[in-house]
PDB file of all heavy atoms in Angstrom:
ATOM      1  N   VAL G 123     126.537  88.210 110.990  1.00  0.00           N
ATOM      2  CA  VAL G 123     126.993  87.380 109.927  1.00  0.00           C
ATOM      3  C   VAL G 123     128.533  87.453 109.821  1.00  0.00           C
ATOM      4  O   VAL G 123     129.066  88.512 110.065  1.00  0.00           O
ATOM      5  CB  VAL G 123     126.318  87.598 108.605  1.00  0.00           C
ATOM      6  CG1 VAL G 123     124.765  87.389 108.693  1.00  0.00           C
ATOM      7  CG2 VAL G 123     126.525  89.065 108.268  1.00  0.00           C
ATOM      8  N   GLY G 124     129.149  86.418 109.386  1.00  0.00           N
ATOM      9  CA  GLY G 124     130.615  86.435 109.174  1.00  0.00           C
ATOM     10  C   GLY G 124     131.100  85.358 108.320  1.00  0.00           C
ATOM     11  O   GLY G 124     130.335  84.627 107.702  1.00  0.00           O
ATOM     12  N   PRO G 125     132.431  85.169 108.227  1.00  0.00           N
ATOM     13  CA  PRO G 125     133.057  84.307 107.287  1.00  0.00           C
ATOM     14  C   PRO G 125     132.612  82.762 107.544  1.00  0.00           C
ATOM     15  O   PRO G 125     132.596  82.054 106.575  1.00  0.00           O
ATOM     16  CB  PRO G 125     134.547  84.442 107.561  1.00  0.00           C
ATOM     17  CG  PRO G 125     134.692  85.827 108.114  1.00  0.00           C
ATOM     18  CD  PRO G 125     133.400  86.007 108.910  1.00  0.00           C
ATOM     19  N   GLY G 126     132.238  82.471 108.790  1.00  0.00           N
ATOM     20  CA  GLY G 126     131.849  81.178 109.066  1.00  0.00           C
ATOM     21  C   GLY G 126     130.582  80.653 108.316  1.00  0.00           C
ATOM     22  O   GLY G 126     130.492  79.503 108.059  1.00  0.00           O
ATOM     23  N   ASP G 127     129.683  81.568 108.011  1.00  0.00           N
ATOM     24  CA  ASP G 127     128.506  81.161 107.208  1.00  0.00           C
ATOM     25  C   ASP G 127     128.600  81.698 105.774  1.00  0.00           C
ATOM     26  O   ASP G 127     127.468  81.705 105.156  1.00  0.00           O
ATOM     27  CB  ASP G 127     127.311  81.694 107.953  1.00  0.00           C
ATOM     28  CG  ASP G 127     127.346  83.051 108.349  1.00  0.00           C
ATOM     29  OD1 ASP G 127     128.160  83.811 107.728  1.00  0.00           O
ATOM     30  OD2 ASP G 127     126.628  83.489 109.258  1.00  0.00           O
ATOM     31  N   GLY G 128     129.817  82.011 105.295  1.00  0.00           N
ATOM     32  CA  GLY G 128     129.841  82.451 103.898  1.00  0.00           C
ATOM     33  C   GLY G 128     129.468  83.912 103.672  1.00  0.00           C
ATOM     34  O   GLY G 128     129.397  84.403 102.495  1.00  0.00           O
ATOM     35  N   LEU G 129     129.287  84.641 104.745  1.00  0.00           N
ATOM     36  CA  LEU G 129     128.862  86.064 104.532  1.00  0.00           C
ATOM     37  C   LEU G 129     129.901  86.936 105.287  1.00  0.00           C
ATOM     38  O   LEU G 129     130.392  86.712 106.371  1.00  0.00           O
ATOM     39  CB  LEU G 129     127.484  86.292 105.260  1.00  0.00           C
ATOM     40  CG  LEU G 129     126.327  85.606 104.615  1.00  0.00           C
ATOM     41  CD1 LEU G 129     125.066  85.709 105.439  1.00  0.00           C
ATOM     42  CD2 LEU G 129     126.080  86.022 103.182  1.00  0.00           C
ATOM     43  N   VAL G 130     130.175  88.019 104.618  1.00  0.00           N
ATOM     44  CA  VAL G 130     131.199  89.003 105.062  1.00  0.00           C
ATOM     45  C   VAL G 130     130.621  90.410 104.909  1.00  0.00           C
ATOM     46  O   VAL G 130     129.808  90.645 103.990  1.00  0.00           O
ATOM     47  CB  VAL G 130     132.601  88.832 104.342  1.00  0.00           C
ATOM     48  CG1 VAL G 130     133.275  87.531 104.723  1.00  0.00           C
ATOM     49  CG2 VAL G 130     132.470  89.020 102.898  1.00  0.00           C
ATOM     50  N   TRP G 131     131.110  91.309 105.638  1.00  0.00           N
ATOM     51  CA  TRP G 131     130.678  92.719 105.480  1.00  0.00           C
ATOM     52  C   TRP G 131     131.852  93.412 104.784  1.00  0.00           C
ATOM     53  O   TRP G 131     133.085  93.390 105.234  1.00  0.00           O
ATOM     54  CB  TRP G 131     130.495  93.377 106.888  1.00  0.00           C
ATOM     55  CG  TRP G 131     129.159  92.999 107.454  1.00  0.00           C
ATOM     56  CD1 TRP G 131     128.921  91.823 108.272  1.00  0.00           C
ATOM     57  CD2 TRP G 131     127.952  93.678 107.413  1.00  0.00           C
ATOM     58  NE1 TRP G 131     127.632  91.853 108.624  1.00  0.00           N
ATOM     59  CE2 TRP G 131     127.003  92.963 108.090  1.00  0.00           C
ATOM     60  CE3 TRP G 131     127.537  94.894 106.700  1.00  0.00           C
ATOM     61  CZ2 TRP G 131     125.584  93.373 108.268  1.00  0.00           C
ATOM     62  CZ3 TRP G 131     126.272  95.269 106.933  1.00  0.00           C
ATOM     63  CH2 TRP G 131     125.290  94.555 107.633  1.00  0.00           C
ATOM     64  N   LEU G 132     131.612  94.037 103.683  1.00  0.00           N
ATOM     65  CA  LEU G 132     132.678  94.670 102.893  1.00  0.00           C
ATOM     66  C   LEU G 132     132.247  96.188 102.567  1.00  0.00           C
ATOM     67  O   LEU G 132     131.072  96.446 102.467  1.00  0.00           O
ATOM     68  CB  LEU G 132     132.868  93.937 101.529  1.00  0.00           C
ATOM     69  CG  LEU G 132     133.265  92.500 101.626  1.00  0.00           C
ATOM     70  CD1 LEU G 132     133.320  91.827 100.210  1.00  0.00           C
ATOM     71  CD2 LEU G 132     134.615  92.354 102.276  1.00  0.00           C
ATOM     72  N   ASN G 133     133.323  96.999 102.544  1.00  0.00           N
ATOM     73  CA  ASN G 133     132.985  98.389 102.172  1.00  0.00           C
ATOM     74  C   ASN G 133     132.667  98.441 100.656  1.00  0.00           C
ATOM     75  O   ASN G 133     133.393  97.771  99.798  1.00  0.00           O
ATOM     76  CB  ASN G 133     134.237  99.201 102.410  1.00  0.00           C
ATOM     77  CG  ASN G 133     134.336  99.639 103.854  1.00  0.00           C
ATOM     78  OD1 ASN G 133     133.459 100.142 104.413  1.00  0.00           O
ATOM     79  ND2 ASN G 133     135.572  99.370 104.464  1.00  0.00           N
ATOM     80  N   ALA G 134     131.651  99.266 100.311  1.00  0.00           N
ATOM     81  CA  ALA G 134     131.297  99.425  98.902  1.00  0.00           C
ATOM     82  C   ALA G 134     132.449 100.238  98.247  1.00  0.00           C
ATOM     83  O   ALA G 134     133.145 101.048  98.905  1.00  0.00           O
ATOM     84  CB  ALA G 134     130.012 100.241  98.785  1.00  0.00           C
ATOM     85  N   PRO G 135     132.701  99.948  96.972  1.00  0.00           N
ATOM     86  CA  PRO G 135     133.644 100.817  96.195  1.00  0.00           C
ATOM     87  C   PRO G 135     133.287 102.208  96.299  1.00  0.00           C
ATOM     88  O   PRO G 135     132.148 102.641  96.417  1.00  0.00           O
ATOM     89  CB  PRO G 135     133.561 100.240  94.745  1.00  0.00           C
ATOM     90  CG  PRO G 135     132.934  98.920  94.869  1.00  0.00           C
ATOM     91  CD  PRO G 135     131.969  99.004  96.087  1.00  0.00           C
ATOM     92  N   PRO G 136     134.349 103.132  96.324  1.00  0.00           N
ATOM     93  CA  PRO G 136     134.074 104.585  96.465  1.00  0.00           C
ATOM     94  C   PRO G 136     133.102 105.037  95.305  1.00  0.00           C
ATOM     95  O   PRO G 136     133.377 104.854  94.149  1.00  0.00           O
ATOM     96  CB  PRO G 136     135.372 105.188  96.298  1.00  0.00           C
ATOM     97  CG  PRO G 136     136.357 104.164  96.699  1.00  0.00           C
ATOM     98  CD  PRO G 136     135.765 102.792  96.300  1.00  0.00           C
ATOM     99  N   LYS G 137     131.872 105.560  95.666  1.00  0.00           N
ATOM    100  CA  LYS G 137     130.880 106.001  94.719  1.00  0.00           C
ATOM    101  C   LYS G 137     130.192 107.228  95.322  1.00  0.00           C
ATOM    102  O   LYS G 137     130.067 107.348  96.460  1.00  0.00           O
ATOM    103  CB  LYS G 137     129.875 104.906  94.488  1.00  0.00           C
ATOM    104  CG  LYS G 137     130.291 103.852  93.506  1.00  0.00           C
ATOM    105  CD  LYS G 137     129.126 102.788  93.412  1.00  0.00           C
ATOM    106  CE  LYS G 137     129.448 101.720  92.389  1.00  0.00           C
ATOM    107  NZ  LYS G 137     129.346 102.260  91.019  1.00  0.00           N
ATOM    108  N   PRO G 138     129.808 108.132  94.422  1.00  0.00           N
ATOM    109  CA  PRO G 138     128.967 109.224  94.950  1.00  0.00           C
ATOM    110  C   PRO G 138     127.595 108.687  95.436  1.00  0.00           C
ATOM    111  O   PRO G 138     127.200 107.567  95.083  1.00  0.00           O
ATOM    112  CB  PRO G 138     128.778 110.028  93.679  1.00  0.00           C
ATOM    113  CG  PRO G 138     129.707 109.603  92.685  1.00  0.00           C
ATOM    114  CD  PRO G 138     130.003 108.199  93.038  1.00  0.00           C
ATOM    115  N   LEU G 139     126.880 109.467  96.265  1.00  0.00           N
ATOM    116  CA  LEU G 139     125.646 109.062  96.695  1.00  0.00           C
ATOM    117  C   LEU G 139     124.639 108.867  95.556  1.00  0.00           C
ATOM    118  O   LEU G 139     123.968 107.908  95.459  1.00  0.00           O
ATOM    119  CB  LEU G 139     125.030 110.051  97.625  1.00  0.00           C
ATOM    120  CG  LEU G 139     123.668 109.849  98.247  1.00  0.00           C
ATOM    121  CD1 LEU G 139     123.567 108.443  98.997  1.00  0.00           C
ATOM    122  CD2 LEU G 139     123.245 110.976  99.242  1.00  0.00           C
ATOM    123  N   PHE G 140     124.668 109.868  94.591  1.00  0.00           N
ATOM    124  CA  PHE G 140     123.824 109.740  93.360  1.00  0.00           C
ATOM    125  C   PHE G 140     124.648 109.744  92.115  1.00  0.00           C
ATOM    126  O   PHE G 140     125.652 110.533  92.012  1.00  0.00           O
ATOM    127  CB  PHE G 140     122.821 110.931  93.333  1.00  0.00           C
ATOM    128  CG  PHE G 140     122.028 111.071  94.510  1.00  0.00           C
ATOM    129  CD1 PHE G 140     122.206 112.073  95.537  1.00  0.00           C
ATOM    130  CD2 PHE G 140     121.033 110.174  94.849  1.00  0.00           C
ATOM    131  CE1 PHE G 140     121.415 112.221  96.652  1.00  0.00           C
ATOM    132  CE2 PHE G 140     120.171 110.282  95.940  1.00  0.00           C
ATOM    133  CZ  PHE G 140     120.335 111.293  96.795  1.00  0.00           C
ATOM    134  N   GLN G 141     124.342 108.850  91.221  1.00  0.00           N
ATOM    135  CA  GLN G 141     125.050 108.813  89.909  1.00  0.00           C
ATOM    136  C   GLN G 141     123.974 108.661  88.822  1.00  0.00           C
ATOM    137  O   GLN G 141     122.919 108.087  89.016  1.00  0.00           O
ATOM    138  CB  GLN G 141     125.965 107.510  89.861  1.00  0.00           C
ATOM    139  CG  GLN G 141     127.314 107.769  90.621  1.00  0.00           C
ATOM    140  CD  GLN G 141     128.171 106.482  90.457  1.00  0.00           C
ATOM    141  OE1 GLN G 141     127.763 105.388  90.906  1.00  0.00           O
ATOM    142  NE2 GLN G 141     129.338 106.596  89.770  1.00  0.00           N
ATOM    143  N   ASN G 142     124.342 109.236  87.656  1.00  0.00           N
ATOM    144  CA  ASN G 142     123.548 108.972  86.487  1.00  0.00           C
ATOM    145  C   ASN G 142     123.935 107.713  85.739  1.00  0.00           C
ATOM    146  O   ASN G 142     124.885 107.020  86.146  1.00  0.00           O
ATOM    147  CB  ASN G 142     123.441 110.160  85.569  1.00  0.00           C
ATOM    148  CG  ASN G 142     124.901 110.525  85.034  1.00  0.00           C
ATOM    149  OD1 ASN G 142     125.775 109.658  84.893  1.00  0.00           O
ATOM    150  ND2 ASN G 142     125.058 111.739  84.683  1.00  0.00           N
TER     151      ASN G 142
END
Side-chain angles (χ1 to χ4, degrees):
V123 294
D127 48 22
L129 296 174
V130 293
W131 286 83
L132 300 176
N133 280 311
K137 281 180 175 285
L139 179 58
F140 303 109
Q141 282 180 297
N142 59 26

